[in-house]
Every structure is written in C-alpha cells, then in structure tokens.
Amino acid sequence: MRFRGNTQFASAVGVVLGLLCAVEAAKVNKHKPWIETTYHGIVTENDDKVLLDPPLIALDKDAPLRYAESFEVTLTDEGEICGFRIHGQNVPFEAVVLDKSTGEGVIRAKDKLDCELQKEHTFTIQAYDCGEGPDGANMKKSHKATVHIQVNDINEYSPVFKEKSYKATVIEGKKYDSILKVEAVDADCSFQFSQICNYEIVTPDVPFTVDKDGFIKNTEKLSYGKERMYKLTVTAYDCGKNRASEDVLVKISVKPTCKPSWQGFNKRIEYEPGTGSLALFPSMHLETCDEPITSIRADIDLETNHIGKGCDRDTYSEKSLHKLCGASSGTVELLPAPSSSANWTVGLPTDNGHDSDQVFEFNGTQAIKVPDGLVSTNLKEPFTLSVWMRHGPGAHEKETILCNSDKTEMNRHHYSLYVHNCRLILLLRQDPSEAENYKPAEFHWKLDQACDKEWHHYVLNVELPTVSLFVDGTTFEPFLVTEDYPLHTSKIETQLTIGACWQDNSGHDNDTESVSEPASGGNARMAQFFRGNLAGLMIRSGKLENKKVIDCLYTCKEGLDVQLPEEVASAVKVEFNPNQSSLTVEGDDIDAFDKVMQHISYLNSRQFPTPGIRHLRISTTVKCFNEESCVTVPDADGYVMVLQPEEPKISLSGIDHFARSAAEFESQEGVTLFPELRIVSTITREVEADTESEAAEGADDDPTVQETVVSEEIMHNLDTCEVSVVGDELDGEHEGLEVDMSQLQQHGLEMSSSNLGLVITGVNTMANYEQVLHLIRYKNWHTEALFDRKFKLVCSELNGRYISNDFKVEVNVIHTASPVDHANNAMVQPNFINPVHHASVDLSGHNLVNAHQASVVPSAATVVIVVCVSFLVFMIILGVFRIRAAHQSTMRDQETGKENEMDWDDSALTITVNPMETYEDQHSSGEEEEEEEESEDGEEEDDITSAESESSEDEEGAEPEDQQGASRQQQLEWDDSTLTY
C-alpha cells in the first residue's frame, strides 16, 4: 500500500513538472498574430463607429489553452494582442483593441465624415502582439488585411432647381405632350437622398400637370383670348421626402394660332410737317410660321388721290408753277383763279375742299368764254397745250375741254381738245394756204386714264406733222391720225370756249349736241359739254415744253422713300412708280426683306402740307419651293396722319396816313403809296415750359400750366399782292396806279391792272415783294377837287390759302396857292375858301368834283374877315395853351430839382394855320370813338387837306416860296400808324 501511494505521488509530481516546463516554454513568442484578409465596413455620416464584417479579431498561437479544466493558467504577454496599425495616407479612421487577451478590436472615425466629399475609404490594417524578447524586438505582426469602408448618407440637403425661372410659349388650341422640363438637383451623395422622386405644381386651378421627371404639359387646349400668359409655381421632393428649398416660377405664354402676317405694324403714323422723312415701319417683320420660303414680294401703296390733284402739290397758280419749273415765258393761263383782272372764271363752280388748289367743276351744263385777244386765233407752231383733268366714266357724246370755233354761220371748229369714248382727241385744222392737200388734222389716243375718275396731267407738244402726248410724265403715241384739207379762207371771227363748243343755231354741224345757254344771249348756244373736273389749262405758243419741265409739273411733293442699308442692297430689289406713291420690294431673304421694309419712309417737302389722312396698304405675295403661293399673307392697312401745320400770319405794316401836295400828285413820278411798307410772317407755336424757371418764380404759379405760346418769324414766299381802291373806281382819264415794269420783270413778277386797282402775281420772297410794292405810285392829273384817296393792300400765299391783313392807306391832297395872283404870301389865304365850303358838306366820297366853283365863292371881303377872325381866335387859344404848358413845366422842374429836361424845344415852332382847322379841332377834342368814326367817314381829311392854310411865312418872310413849300410838306408828313383814330 505504501508503494502504491508513492507511485501516485510520483505521477502527480511529474505532471506538475511537465506543466511548469510547458509554461516556461510558452514564454518564448514563436507565432504571429492572425487576422482576416479582407474586411467590409459601414459607417454613417453622423456616427464614428464602423460596423465591420467580419468583426475585427486577432488570434495568436502563443496564447495558452483557454479551457483547461483542472489547472489554473497564468497568461503571458506573448500571447496577447497589443494593437492594430492602419496603413495609408490621410486615413480618417483608427483601430482600437478592446480586449488584448481575446484580440477583439474596433475601427472608428477620427473626425466627422462627409459622404458628399468621399463615399468610400480603402486602407490596410495589421495586428501586432505583446511579445518581447530579451532585446525587446520580439513583437510579432500579422499580415496586412484590406479594409473597405462605405460612408452611409443622411438626408441633409434639399432639392434645388437649376434655373431661377422657366419660360415657354405655346400656340392656342393645341395639346402638347411636353411644353418644357423643370429640373432640380440634390447635393446628397446617396442615390436615395440625391434623387428627385417627385415634382408638384403648387399653383391651384391651372390647366397644366407635371410628371416625376419634371415635364410640364397642358391638360386642355389653351385659348389666347382667355389667357395670354400663365404663371405657375413648381416644387420638387427628393426620395427622402425633403422639399425644395425654394419653389420655381414657370411662365407659359399663349400665342394665337400662327397666321402668316406682318407683325409690329402701327396702323396710325403721325407726321409732323417740316420734320423731313419719317420711318413708316421701324419695328415691322414678316411672320411666315416657319414655312420654307423662296421669294417674297410686297407692294406698298400710299393712297393720295383725295388730296388736291392726286397728291400734295404746291397750290400756286399754274402760271407760277410753270415758271418755278423753268418753263419759258409766253404761257397763257385759261383757267385762272377769279380776280378783278381775270373775271371770266367768276361763277364757275370750284372744288373748295382741296386747300386752295384751284379746281373747276363742269357738270355738263357750264362753259365759259375766254376773252378775245387772250390767245391768238392762229396758234404759232410749235405750241404746247397742258391741262389737269379728272374724267369718267366715258360717254358716247363728245365732251369738249377746249374749243375754238366760228362765232357765226359756219360753226367750223378750228382747233379743239375733247374726250370721246375714253379717247383723247386733238383737232387742229390747218389755216388757209396755197397748197390744197391733205394734212394731219386729228390725233386720237386711247387712254384708260381718260375715264378712270382720277386726276391726270396731260401735256400736248404740237409740232406738225407730229404731236407728242405726255400723260403723268409718260409718253403715249397716237393710235390713229386722220388727215383733212385746210380751212377755207374766211373773215369770220372765232370764239374760244372751255367746257363746250360755241355754236350758232344757223350752223350746219350736225355732229354736235346742242344745249341752250341762257346767259349767252341771242341765238348763240353751247354744245358738246364736258362732265368732270379741269384745272391748270395752259397754252404756250412758239416753244415746246421739255421733259424736265413736264416731270416737274407732275411730280408730287409727298411720297414714299427708302434708304437701302448697304448690307442688304444686293439682296433686295426696290422699284418705284413715277410719282413715288407706291413701291415694290422683292427678295428671298426674310431678314434682309424685313430690314428694307423698316427703312421705308414717308416724306412731304411742302412747307405747309395739306393736313389729313393718307391711307397705306401693304400687299404681300410669298412663294415656296414649288413656286406656288404656299403662304397667304393678309394685306396690312394703316394710314399716315399729316398733322395741321403751323399756319403763318402775314402782317403788313407801315405809314397808313399821310399828305402830299397836289403838285406831287400831278408830277411825272406821282406819290409813293407804300414808302415804308413792311411784310412780316410769324407762326405761333406751343413749347414746353421750363420747369426750373417756373419753380424759381414761386410756388404760387399754376402747376397745371405745362406749355407756353411763343411767336417766331418765318420766311416763305408770296404769290399775290393786290392793291385795290377803296371807294370810287379810278378814273382812267386823269388818275392811275403805276409801277416800274423793269423791276417787276427783274424779279420775275407780273402785273395786271384795271380801274379797280392792280394785282402783282408770281411766286417770290417777301423781301422782293416789299421792294416792288415800294415802287407803286399813284398819279392824278386833275387834283383841284380831290381831297383824299384810300387804298387797300392784301398779300397772299399759296393761291389764297394764307392771306394777310387788310393794310389801308389814306393819302390827302394839300392844295397850294398860286404865287402869280398875289403880291405877297399873306394874300394866299383866300384860295382856301373852296375847301372851307366843303367842310360843311358830306366828305365821305373820294372825288369831290365841282365844275362851277366860282358860283359858290362868297365875296373876298367876307372871306378875309372870317379867315382873320378865325386865325386870331386860334392864335389866342394856342398862346394861352403854350403859356400854361410852360408854367407847368417850370413847376415840375422846380419840384424835381430840374432832373428832367423838356421833351422837346419848340422855340422855333412853325405853326401852319388852316381856317378849316378851327371847326375840326373843336370836334377833335371830343371822345376817341367819335374820332374813329370821323376817320372812317373821311371827315378828318379836311384837317389834312387844309392844313397848309397858313405856314411860317410871317416868321420867315425872307424864305423863298419853293423852300417854304418843301418845309410845309415835311411838316405835314407824319407817321400816325400807332394812333387810335
């Protein structure tokens, strides 16, 4: 038993010794730690802990058995895991050992991670144990394992739209699959939170919807008339249900259904006179609805047929227009404006609605006779006949424009111009000659213009055997020329008529329609009446009109114009009609075409254009590749409104009351009527007031006053000045008005005179008219019974469109005594007895003729007594007045310290005494209204006429009588234009 016990003890000791030996052996670090080769981790942005798969655990074989049941085990450092080491640059992670004995560890973020910056991280990791040898370098490292870590996103960002706003345009009546697309983005890094899962229209009750991809479409057909623009608010959501930070505005414009047309065209275009050319279509363009266009043609028409004779032209007389256009002299105007010197057109109906454009109407019953001698019966070849005519429709009867026919018996038509069945026919019978053979006698032109009811200008240049016709400046050849024998020799006088032919009842010309003319008298009558309008009928013998003059007479003062830009000049073709009232534009480039249209302008070169409407029309033809009209563009209609021009006020001023001696009236030169005449023309216009100056004047000014009226002088032409006698007509036997004809011709003016006065005509400047009017003189060779004469001057512009004021001049006659019948100057006085007697009778007339003056003259003694007493009373009154005036002047000088001198020095005053003046002076001291009435009635003329009854002969007796007469004349000539009588 003893042995057995010893044996068990020995065995136990052996086991313990073996374990101790094993522990000792374990202290030697023989093995490396072991880890997995690859790790995958997940970490959230807002967290630092990384979840690894598989978990991070390092194993080491140097570690003791962990599950020994019967022994206590002491762990050694060689079997423990001391740490993990991460390899890589800027790795934002670290590895931490949780349990050295078990080798468990974790990976965590050093700082806050940002998925948007980096979504994944990859690096390597090693584990090392705690074993150390005697030299301290016995630490073992595991192999390097790869770690992949994904950063999980959190929904920290909201969607943001790419654009601040969206715009789109749709055409009405159409449903779209997609009108436009809105797009939002999200800054989150993950697919879930960065994707936009939904869009939504916030604005309620709109006919639009948006899908999840952002496409917007309409849910119903839109109407331009109902709504022209829709404004929508759209938002977006990401897949994390975050809403957009800001909603976006979407504007959808609705256009009417695309119709080819001109866009940007203003129907009313206002034209201010005097502003030059005005662009008519500055913003216009052609909408073709994206059709493939190959050519475009546009016709632009300016309708001016209702203005004057077809358009705006100067309304001077036709004779003046011929001169302005450079025609030679010798032109005879057969239809002049009615005046005192040209009265054969008086009573003929006129068209007064065309701004003083002289147009005469013929309705088939009116005709006028041209005075004999105005036109030569036998026209000298060559000659020119011109006329403005508006006629239509055509009639089967002949309608005569101008006719020269026999006054009696034979009723032969020597020459005539007439219309028959829309044909213009000139009849020109040759005068009797030795050669009895056929010669051209009738020229026929078939013209649409003769019957289209529009104004046309006709010029016939006659140079037999040819006749050239120009209609609106264009040449027309006759389609038929007939010949006839010359006229037979006859002494029958001819009658030139306008609007019909003069015929006699006893005639045998059956090719006429006769209508009685009550005013003609006797058995004469008119036939072949004209129905239409005529103007500017002219005949000029001896010379033909050239083409330049013809074009000038026809050319309008208004029309269309275009300045082609250089870059499109070669791409577009532009053509005008002769009077520039229409133009055609052709091209194939829409952009170039639009630029040309935008440069078309309206121009009116008249200083005072005719106000009113000018209609505009644009007719367009568009062709496509198949050369057919694939696009229909409707006509564009509008109008140019020419505004009322500033009307000039023509003012005549000067000396309107003066006296001259009878000798001057009877002299060769006569008396100048308008020595200091002044012609001024002004316009009144409104200008904007200066607001700064108004504010400086004070706050009390009316703030509603925005404009002020100013008057400024302008220069323009005159075409007529007429001097007429006020009162009795001129007696051609002993009085008349004269003017220097050489001066008239030098200025290109003409004069006609009659017993009513004279008329100066011609287009010229106001300054030249002034010079000519200064030369008009009045002469009278029988002034014994003449006391005064009154004249009236009126000037006008544009054939009476603008008329001046009536400038009236009164001239008094100073009757002087004859020195032959008296020994000294004191005895001259009785010669004024005759005017004294007339002072008590009505002096309102101009010519007081008394053929028996001696029978009413009282005795000389009575006259001398009356004159002396009157003179004495007048001198006493004058002396008292002068003494009182001198006294008052002295008192004023004393009171004011004699600062003011006397206004005049009358120490050498010469007093001329008129025995009639006592009566007139008594009445002249009355009220001002009575003086005005006396001035109008001519009663005050006795003052002036008899103002020479006494002069300064008593004080200056040594002065010769001729010098005394001159002195008296100077004293009696005054300018009383500012008086209020």
Side-chain angles (χ1 to χ4, degrees):
M1 290 294 293
R2 190 177 202 179
F3 175 78
R4 181 181 293 177
N6 290 335
T7 302
Q8 291 178 347
F9 176 77
S11 298
V13 171
V15 172
V16 170
L17 291 174
L19 289 172
L20 290 173
C21 291
V23 170
E24 287 293 327
K27 290 182 180 179
V28 180
N29 193 10
K30 295 179 179 181
H31 299 85
K32 295 179 181 179
W34 177 90
I35 57 176
E36 297 286 345
T37 59
T38 303
Y39 292 92
H40 293 275
I42 298 174
V43 62
T44 306
E45 282 185 306
N46 59 353
D47 195 1
D48 61 349
K49 186 177 181 181
V50 179
L51 299 178
L52 285 177
D53 182 25
L56 181 61
I57 298 176
L59 301 176
D60 195 326
K61 290 183 179 181
D62 293 325
L65 296 176
R66 299 181 182 181
Y67 303 107
E69 297 179 356
S70 305
F71 302 96
E72 292 181 4
V73 178
T74 302
L75 296 178
T76 61
D77 292 340
E78 288 78 3
E80 292 181 350
I81 302 301
C82 277
F84 298 93
R85 182 173 295 173
I86 293 177
H87 299 277
Q89 292 183 352
N90 302 323
V91 178
F93 296 95
E94 61 181 359
V96 180
V97 177
L98 297 179
D99 189 343
K100 290 183 178 182
S101 61
T102 60
E104 294 182 28
V106 293
I107 296 176
R108 59 189 180 190
K110 294 179 182 180
D111 299 310
K112 186 177 180 181
L113 299 176
D114 191 346
C115 176
E116 286 71 37
L117 293 178
Q118 189 170 348
K119 296 173 64 175
E120 292 183 351
H121 297 269
T122 301
F123 53 90
T124 59
I125 190 172
Q126 278 181 309
Y128 58 92
D129 59 19
C130 299
E132 293 184 1
D135 56 358
N138 198 25
M139 179 181 63
K140 298 293 185 181
K141 298 178 182 180
S142 70
H143 62 271
K144 292 181 179 179
T146 302
V147 180
H148 299 282
I149 297 177
Q150 178 180 340
V151 182
N152 279 353
D153 187 26
I154 61 173
N155 197 8
E156 57 184 323
Y157 292 99
S158 298
V160 176
F161 285 95
K162 287 186 175 181
E163 303 290 339
K164 292 183 178 180
S165 64
Y166 293 87
K167 294 181 180 179
T169 301
V170 297
I171 298 175
E172 67 173 348
K174 182 178 179 181
K175 289 192 70 174
Y176 290 81
D177 293 333
S178 174
I179 296 174
L180 77 159
K181 179 183 180 181
V182 296
E183 187 175 359
V185 293
D186 195 307
D188 288 312
C189 66
S190 64
F191 178 83
Q192 177 185 4
F193 298 141
S194 64
Q195 293 300 308
I196 308 300
C197 282
N198 188 30
Y199 291 93
E200 181 181 335
I201 296 177
V202 179
T203 306
D205 302 327
V206 290
F208 299 94
T209 184
V210 59
D211 61 16
K212 63 182 181 62
D213 295 322
F215 289 101
I216 297 177
K217 63 181 180 180
N218 55 320
T219 58
E220 61 184 45
K221 294 181 179 180
L222 304 178
S223 172
Y224 177 79
K226 180 180 179 181
E227 189 72 42
R228 298 187 179 185
M229 177 181 286
Y230 290 90
K231 294 181 180 181
L232 317 175
T233 302
V234 179
T235 191
Y237 294 91
D238 61 20
C239 293
K241 297 185 179 181
N242 268 6
R243 180 173 174 166
S245 56
E246 290 185 7
D247 299 339
V248 71
L249 177 65
V250 179
K251 296 180 180 179
I252 300 177
S253 300
V254 181
K255 285 181 61 177
T257 303
C258 184
K259 297 177 181 177
S261 62
W262 288 105
Q263 303 291 327
F265 173 54
N266 293 327
K267 290 189 175 183
R268 176 187 173 96
I269 303 124
E270 291 189 353
Y271 180 77
E272 182 74 29
T275 56
S277 61
L278 172 67
L280 295 175
F281 323 113
S283 304
M284 190 169 71
H285 68 278
L286 181 62
E287 175 61 62
T288 58
C289 297
D290 299 328
E291 290 288 342
I293 304 301
T294 58
S295 67
I296 312 170
R297 173 191 170 102
D299 297 303
I300 299 92
D301 295 311
L302 180 71
E303 298 177 6
T304 58
N305 294 336
H306 61 292
I307 306 294
K309 295 188 288 289
C311 67
D312 214 357
R313 294 182 173 90
D314 284 330
T315 55
Y316 296 119
S317 67
E318 196 70 19
K319 196 168 187 178
S320 296
L321 290 174
H322 274 69
K323 286 189 176 181
L324 290 173
C325 288
S328 302
S329 59
T331 302
V332 179
E333 189 172 10
L334 301 182
L335 282 175
S339 65
S340 58
S341 57
N343 57 5
W344 63 88
T345 57
V346 174
L348 189 64
T350 59
D351 184 357
N352 295 320
H354 292 134
D355 211 354
S356 303
D357 200 3
Q358 195 65 55
V359 175
F360 295 94
E361 295 182 354
F362 295 84
N363 61 7
T365 61
Q366 304 101 338
I368 58 173
K369 295 185 291 184
V370 178
D372 295 337
L374 188 67
V375 179
S376 174
T377 303
N378 298 319
L379 294 173
K380 296 180 181 179
E381 293 182 352
F383 72 92
T384 295
L385 178 64
S386 64
V387 66
W388 284 93
M389 180 176 71
R390 177 168 61 186
H391 176 262
H396 296 294
E397 301 83 11
K398 294 180 180 179
E399 298 182 51
T400 301
I401 301 170
L402 180 70
C403 179
N404 187 37
S405 58
D406 290 340
K407 280 191 175 181
T408 57
E409 298 178 358
M410 300 182 70
N411 289 336
R412 297 178 304 175
H413 293 182
H414 292 246
Y415 62 85
S416 65
L417 179 67
Y418 60 93
V419 179
H420 188 204
N421 289 331
C422 295
R423 298 179 183 181
L424 184 68
I425 302 171
L426 174 66
L427 169 66
L428 187 62
R429 301 288 300 277
Q430 298 294 307
D431 289 334
S433 62
E434 297 179 358
E436 294 292 332
N437 54 1
Y438 277 119
K439 290 184 179 181
E442 280 191 10
F443 298 83
H444 297 245
W445 292 270
K446 192 171 184 179
L447 302 170
D448 294 334
Q449 292 90 333
C451 295
D452 63 2
K453 297 184 181 181
E454 302 290 344
W455 278 107
H456 298 284
H457 185 235
Y458 302 84
V459 177
L460 289 146
N461 276 341
V462 180
E463 190 174 18
L464 292 177
T466 61
V467 177
S468 299
L469 172 66
F470 297 87
V471 181
D472 299 336
T474 303
T475 306
F476 287 83
E477 295 295 331
F479 80 95
L480 176 64
V481 177
T482 60
E483 297 183 339
D484 200 352
Y485 283 108
L487 293 170
H488 295 292
T489 304
S490 174
K491 296 183 179 180
I492 300 174
E493 295 183 354
T494 59
Q495 176 63 60
L496 184 61
T497 54
I498 300 173
C501 266
W502 177 266
Q503 295 196 165
D504 190 274
N505 278 335
S506 60
H508 305 286
D509 190 348
N510 296 323
D511 191 25
T512 62
E513 178 189 1
S514 300
V515 179
S516 298
E517 185 192 29
S520 63
N523 59 353
R525 62 177 182 172
M526 296 284 187
Q528 302 175 3
F529 283 91
F530 180 77
R531 296 174 181 85
N533 298 91
L534 297 176
L537 181 56
M538 310 286 290
I539 287 182
R540 189 175 66 158
S541 302
K543 192 173 182 179
L544 301 179
E545 295 285 17
N546 58 47
K547 185 67 165 59
K548 183 178 180 180
V549 173
I550 294 172
D551 290 341
C552 174
L553 291 171
Y554 172 70
T555 301
C556 295
K557 291 290 184 177
E558 65 177 342
L560 300 174
D561 190 20
V562 62
Q563 299 295 329
L564 290 178
E566 294 182 2
E567 63 271 17
V568 299
S570 59
V572 179
K573 180 182 178 182
V574 178
E575 292 182 352
F576 286 88
N577 71 336
N579 64 353
Q580 291 192 308
S581 63
S582 66
L583 62 87
T584 300
V585 183
E586 290 185 88
D588 54 8
D589 186 333
I590 294 181
D591 293 336
F593 199 91
D594 287 344
K595 286 185 178 179
V596 172
M597 295 293 291
Q598 291 167 7
H599 282 77
I600 295 175
S601 59
Y602 169 80
L603 176 63
N604 196 317
S605 59
R606 289 191 69 185
Q607 187 177 14
F608 306 109
T610 305
I613 289 176
R614 277 78 164 160
H615 289 283
L616 270 174
R617 169 163 291 184
I618 304 175
S619 304
T620 311
T621 303
V622 178
K623 292 185 178 180
C624 296
F625 287 102
N626 56 4
E627 296 298 325
E628 298 294 334
S629 298
C630 57
V631 174
T632 301
V633 179
D635 292 347
D637 293 315
Y639 60 93
V640 177
M641 172 58 75
V642 179
L643 302 179
Q644 179 73 38
E646 304 286 352
E647 297 195 1
K649 180 182 179 181
I650 306 172
S651 301
L652 309 179
S653 61
I655 300 175
D656 58 0
H657 195 174
F658 59 89
R660 294 290 186 271
S661 65
E664 290 191 47
F665 287 92
E666 297 177 355
S667 67
Q668 186 66 27
E669 290 79 12
V671 174
T672 302
L673 280 184
F674 313 107
E676 298 183 16
L677 178 68
R678 187 81 174 86
I679 304 177
V680 176
S681 182
T682 57
I683 60 172
T684 302
R685 65 176 66 194
E686 293 181 350
V687 298
E688 293 184 0
D690 188 355
T691 56
E692 294 182 0
S693 61
E694 286 182 354
E697 291 175 1
D700 295 336
D701 295 341
D702 186 0
T704 61
V705 178
Q706 298 295 331
E707 295 181 340
T708 181
V709 177
V710 298
S711 180
E712 60 183 59
E713 185 174 343
I714 64 167
M715 301 302 295
H716 59 86
N717 293 329
L718 299 177
D719 58 0
T720 302
C721 280
E722 182 173 359
V723 181
S724 56
V725 182
V726 179
D728 296 338
E729 296 181 0
L730 294 174
D731 188 345
E733 294 184 0
H734 60 78
E735 62 178 342
L737 294 172
E738 295 182 358
V739 66
D740 189 345
M741 296 302 297
S742 62
Q743 290 290 331
L744 280 176
Q745 295 173 359
Q746 181 179 347
H747 293 299
L749 300 175
E750 295 183 357
M751 184 199 73
S752 58
S753 60
S754 67
N755 57 353
L756 298 176
L758 59 85
V759 180
I760 299 174
T761 57
V763 181
N764 219 313
T765 63
M766 292 184 291
N768 286 341
Y769 262 95
E770 269 188 12
Q771 295 179 15
V772 172
L773 292 172
H774 288 165
L775 303 175
I776 296 178
R777 295 177 176 273
Y778 169 64
K779 297 172 66 175
N780 194 309
W781 302 277
H782 185 70
T783 59
E784 288 83 357
L786 180 66
F787 293 101
D788 61 73
R789 259 302 193 186
K790 294 180 181 178
F791 300 92
K792 180 179 72 174
L793 172 65
V794 178
C795 295
S796 64
E797 158 78 315
L798 293 172
N799 206 16
R801 179 177 175 184
Y802 302 118
I803 304 175
S804 72
N805 59 306
D806 293 350
F807 179 64
K808 296 181 179 179
V809 173
E810 181 178 339
V811 183
N812 297 112
V813 181
I814 304 172
H815 292 279
T816 58
S818 176
V820 179
D821 298 334
H822 307 283
N824 54 59
N825 293 336
M827 296 302 293
V828 177
Q829 192 68 38
N831 281 332
F832 291 93
I833 294 173
N834 187 32
V836 172
H837 271 269
H838 284 284
S840 61
V841 298
D842 184 12
L843 300 179
S844 59
H846 298 283
N847 296 324
L848 302 178
V849 181
N850 192 343
H852 306 285
Q853 295 180 14
S855 62
V856 296
V857 176
S859 64
T862 304
V863 172
V864 170
I865 292 172
V866 172
V867 171
C868 290
V869 172
S870 301
F871 178 74
L872 180 60
V873 171
F874 175 80
M875 290 301 294
I876 292 172
I877 295 173
L878 181 60
V880 172
F881 173 81
R882 292 188 62 185
I883 292 171
R884 181 171 179 177
H887 176 70
Q888 291 177 351
S889 176
T890 303
M891 294 299 293
R892 285 195 302 270
D893 289 344
Q894 292 175 357
E895 291 174 0
T896 60
K898 297 185 179 181
E899 292 177 355
N900 301 325
E901 294 293 330
M902 293 292 291
D903 292 337
W904 66 84
D905 181 7
D906 57 356
S907 60
L909 179 64
T910 300
I911 302 171
T912 302
V913 181
N914 187 341
M916 295 175 60
E917 197 168 327
T918 58
Y919 173 80
E920 292 296 328
D921 287 343
Q922 293 174 4
H923 287 75
S924 65
S925 61
E927 295 181 357
E928 186 176 350
E929 295 177 358
E930 296 175 359
E931 293 184 83
E932 293 175 355
E933 293 175 1
E934 290 171 1
S935 174
E936 293 174 359
D937 295 337
E939 293 176 6
E940 70 178 284
E941 295 160 7
D942 295 332
D943 283 338
I944 304 165
T945 307
S946 58
E948 196 65 35
S949 63
E950 190 63 38
S951 68
S952 60
E953 290 125 358
D954 293 338
E955 299 181 29
E956 300 176 7
E959 183 178 352
E961 183 152 343
D962 55 345
Q963 295 180 9
Q964 296 171 9
S967 175
R968 288 193 300 270
Q969 176 185 335
Q970 293 175 0
Q971 296 167 14
L972 288 168
E973 181 177 343
W974 65 86
D975 182 4
D976 56 358
S977 59
T978 60
L979 297 181
T980 58
Y981 59 86

